Amino acid sequence: MESLNGKVVLITGATAGIGKSCSYAFAEEGANLIITGRRHQKLIEISNDLKTKFNVKVLTQELDVRNRTAIESFIESLDGVWKNIDILVNNAGLGRGLNRLYKDNPEGWEEMIDTNIKGLLYMTGAVVKGMAERKSGHVINIGSIAGHEAYSGGAVYCATKHAVNAITKSLRLDTLDKNIKVSTVDPGMVETEFSKVRFYGDEEKANNVYKGMTPLTGDDIAETVIFCATRPKHVNINEIIVMPSAQASAFFTYRGE
Ligand code: NDP
Ligand code: 8X3
C-alpha cells in the first residue's frame, strides 16, 4: 500500500457531498489538500476544520470549473509545496432535471455539459501537463453508473458521464509512458446535495429519490477513492462501480414490500 502522507491532492467540488468526504478521507491519511469549489465560505469552514483535526496543509481556491482561463491561471500560479500535484480528483459535477429530452430545458443541458465534460477537461488538461513533465501522478475521476447505462430523463446527464468514461480511457492511453495512473470511480445512488441540485431545490422530490432504501454516503465513495489512491506503484485501478446493496441498475431499486 502506498502512503498518502505529504502528497498533494487537488479535489474539485470539495464544498459538499463526495468531494467534501474525499477531502476528509485524504486529510486523515496525511495528504496536503487543494480544495476548490464555487462556495468560498464552505471552503474556508472545511479548510479550518481539516487543519485543526488532521494538522495538514490546506489551500482553498474559489473556482468554477467552467472557467478555463481561471483554472489555467490558478494552476500556473501554484508554487512551493503546491506546485507538484500528485493526485487530481475530478469530482465537481451535477445533474439538472429528470425530464424527457423533448420536454427538457436546454439551459440545464449547457450547465451539465459545461461542468461535467468541459470543466473536467479544463482541469485535467491544466494539471496533467505538470504530471507528464514530472512523470508522476494519478487522476481519479468521479463518473457514475450513468456512464454505463442510459435512462429516461437522463439523456444529457448520461451523455456527460459516458463522456467521462471515454475521457478516462483515452487519458490512460495518452499517459501510459508518463507514469500517470488514471482511474474512475462510478457510483450509483449517493445521498448528497446532488438530488436537491438536480431538482432545483425541491426537497420533497430530492428526498423521494432515496425513499425506502439505504443509499450510499459520500464517505462510502471517499473510501473507494482512497483504495484507488493507495494501491502499490505497479497497480492501477481502472474502474470501480459502487452501488447501494438495494440498487441493481439505474432503474431497478428495491424499496421494500
Ligand atoms: P453535490 O451536489 O453534493 O456536490 C457537488 C460538488 O460539485 C459541490 O461541491 C459543488 O460545489 C461542485 N460543483 C458543482 N458545479 C461546479 C462548478 N461549476 N464549478 C466548481 N464546482 C462545482 O453532489 P455529489 O457529491 O453527489 O456529486 C459529486 C460528483 O459525483 C458529481 O460529478 C456527480 O455527477 C457524481 N455522482 C453523484 C452521484 C449521486 O448519486 N450523488 C452518483 C454518481 C455520480 P459548489 O456548489 O460550491 O461549486
Ligand atoms: C447520479 C446517479 O442514478 O442519476 O450519477 O445516475 S444516477
Side-chain angles (χ1 to χ4, degrees), residues 12-19 36-39 63-66 90-95 115-116 142-145 157 161 186-195 197 210:
T12 65
T15 56
I18 295 169
T36 69
R38 290 165 302 175
R39 285 171 287 178
L63 201 62
D64 186 329
V65 292
R66 294 170 296 181
N90 274 318
N91 162 77
L94 81 175
T115 310
N116 302 359
I142 306 298
S144 169
I145 55 164
Y157 182 72
K161 291 300 182 175
D186 298 352
M189 269 190 259
V190 191
E191 191 164 15
T192 59
E193 293 179 8
F194 181 85
S195 291
V197 172
Y210 315 107

Side-chain angles (χ1 to χ4, degrees), residues 32-61:
N32 296 318
L33 294 170
I34 305 174
I35 55 172
T36 69
R38 290 165 302 175
R39 285 171 287 178
H40 176 71
Q41 193 49 38
K42 292 243 180 218
L43 290 172
I44 299 300
E45 285 163 18
I46 292 167
S47 164
N48 289 340
D49 198 35
L50 291 173
K51 285 182 201 161
T52 311
K53 283 195 174 125
F54 304 110
N55 194 28
V56 292
K57 295 187 180 75
V58 184
L59 179 69
T60 60
Q61 179 69 27

Side-chain angles (χ1 to χ4, degrees), residues 98 189 195 198-199 204-211 213 253 255:
L98 198 55
M189 269 190 259
S195 291
R198 169 171 260 179
F199 296 118
E204 199 186 332
K205 272 193 183 167
N207 293 336
N208 275 340
V209 172
Y210 315 107
K211 210 170 176 178
M213 55 87 66
T253 302
R255 296 179 194 272

